[in-house]
């Protein structure tokens, strides 16, 4: 597709369940970012992939959160033992990282709205 | 101190007037500065970026950067009702990492 896609668009789950959120970046984009956005807040950085490896996972709030990008394209954010506080919109973005450039525009997907009951 | 600070608003501006949105940041090593627009229920979209001191103009939008004061602003001339949205300021220090740090955003409401 032309843009970043995310599935599902909405996910409702019960406390304690496991969820997977998927991101399909723009074809050819090497960098992929996950953010979490709560109501009235800006996007909060979670993790960044450059290719297949997690270049920076310092934003993951705890060990219940994990993300993979096994083939350097699609990424899955995994949340174990979900808690009500995990409810938010999870945004994915991708960019065409060019070595040496100080600016790389991030293109955002539509997000997945996660609700933990 | 938060890394990127914005007044949450709402900022109400009459149609046709200039809307001025402000942002301060704490990391003096920040090099790249972005303004994103986010409509309610939608994802952010980039409208301006700047990384040199001074002004950068693009159509009705002007970004202003003052690194000495650690201040970046966005001016919207001839404001239209369609400009009503939340405006997110974001900064990056590529010497530190590849993260873009977002502010909470300022809600802008253009009064018809």
């Amino acid at each position: 597709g032309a843009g970043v896609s995310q599935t599902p668009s909405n996910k409702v789950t019960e406390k304690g369940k496991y969820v997977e959120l998927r991101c399909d970046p723009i074809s050819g984009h090497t960098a992929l970012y996950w953010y979490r956005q709560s109501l009235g807040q800006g996007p909060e950085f979670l993790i960044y992939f450059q290719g297949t490896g997690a270049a920076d996972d310092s934003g993951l709030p705890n060990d219940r959160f994990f993300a993979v990008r096994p083939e350097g394209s699609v990424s899955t954010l995994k949340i174990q033992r979900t808690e009500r506080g995990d409810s938010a919109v999870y945004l994915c973005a991708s960019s065409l990282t060019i070595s040496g450039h100080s600016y790389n525009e991030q293109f955002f997907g539509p997000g997945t709205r996660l609700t933990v009951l | 101190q938060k890394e990127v600070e914005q007044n949450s608003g709402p900022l109400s501006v009459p149609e046709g007037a200039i809307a001025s949105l402000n942002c301060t940041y704490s990391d003096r090593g920040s090099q790249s500065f972005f303004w994103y627009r986010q409509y309610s229920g939608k994802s952010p979209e980039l409208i301006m970026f700047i990384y040199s001191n001074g002004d950068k103009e693009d159509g009705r939008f002007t970004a202003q950067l003052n690194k000495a004061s650690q201040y970046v602003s966005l001016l919207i001339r001839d404001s239209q009702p369609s400009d009503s949205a939340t405006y997110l300021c974001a900064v990056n220090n590529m010497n530190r990492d590849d993260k873009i740090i977002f502010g909470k955003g300022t809600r802008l409401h253009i009064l018809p």
Side-chain angles (χ1 to χ4, degrees):
Chain A
V4 179
S5 62
Q6 291 186 246
T7 54
S9 56
N10 279 284
K11 176 70 178 179
V12 180
T13 191
E14 293 179 342
K15 180 175 178 296
K17 299 290 188 183
Y18 168 83
V19 296
E20 289 190 352
L21 311 179
R22 176 188 167 109
C23 172
D24 202 337
I26 293 173
S27 178
H29 279 195
T30 56
L32 186 147
Y33 303 77
W34 282 100
Y35 295 88
R36 176 170 69 176
Q37 188 172 26
S38 300
L39 194 63
Q41 304 294 317
E44 173 195 11
F45 171 82
L46 297 177
I47 186 170
Y48 155 61
F49 289 89
Q50 182 61 259
T52 60
D56 185 341
D57 64 357
S58 62
L60 295 177
N62 51 59
D63 62 6
R64 295 186 298 104
F65 289 74
F66 189 70
V68 296
R69 195 186 185 198
E71 297 177 357
S73 179
V74 171
S75 176
T76 304
L77 178 66
K78 308 180 181 192
I79 310 174
Q80 298 177 319
R81 303 182 305 279
T82 51
E83 299 177 357
R84 292 193 180 89
D86 299 335
S87 296
V89 175
Y90 288 80
L91 294 165
C92 176
S94 71
S95 70
L96 182 60
T97 302
I98 302 172
S99 177
H101 279 227
S102 61
Y103 154 67
N104 290 296
E105 179 178 359
Q106 294 189 11
F107 294 86
F108 281 84
T112 294
R113 181 175 298 279
L114 175 65
T115 303
V116 182
L117 301 176
Chain B
Q1 181 190 8
K2 290 188 183 296
E3 288 200 53
V4 180
E5 298 219 43
Q6 298 179 254
N7 187 320
S8 60
L11 174 65
S12 295
V13 173
E15 183 176 357
I18 296 175
S20 177
L21 303 159
N22 305 314
C23 171
T24 58
Y25 59 95
S26 60
D27 181 356
R28 190 169 284 279
S30 297
Q31 302 151 318
S32 305
F33 306 86
F34 308 89
W35 283 100
Y36 283 81
R37 178 176 61 201
Q38 187 172 27
Y39 292 114
S40 181
K42 302 295 185 183
S43 55
E45 56 177 326
L46 182 71
I47 53 172
M48 290 285 290
F49 68 91
I50 186 169
Y51 40 82
S52 299
N53 272 328
D55 294 1
K56 179 181 179 183
E57 186 174 321
D58 183 1
R60 295 187 297 112
F61 298 96
T62 299
Q64 299 176 315
L65 175 61
N66 183 326
K67 289 186 179 180
S69 300
Q70 294 175 241
Y71 177 91
V72 58
S73 65
L74 179 70
L75 301 178
I76 307 175
R77 288 181 299 283
D78 188 23
S79 298
Q80 304 296 309
S82 61
D83 294 327
S84 297
T86 296
Y87 289 80
L88 300 162
C89 172
V91 305
N92 169 241
N93 179 351
M94 287 194 71
N95 286 332
R96 184 183 69 179
D97 53 43
D98 293 300
K99 288 190 287 193
I100 292 180
I101 307 299
F102 285 84
K104 292 173 59 172
T106 298
R107 282 187 295 136
L108 175 66
H109 181 48
I110 305 302
L111 304 169

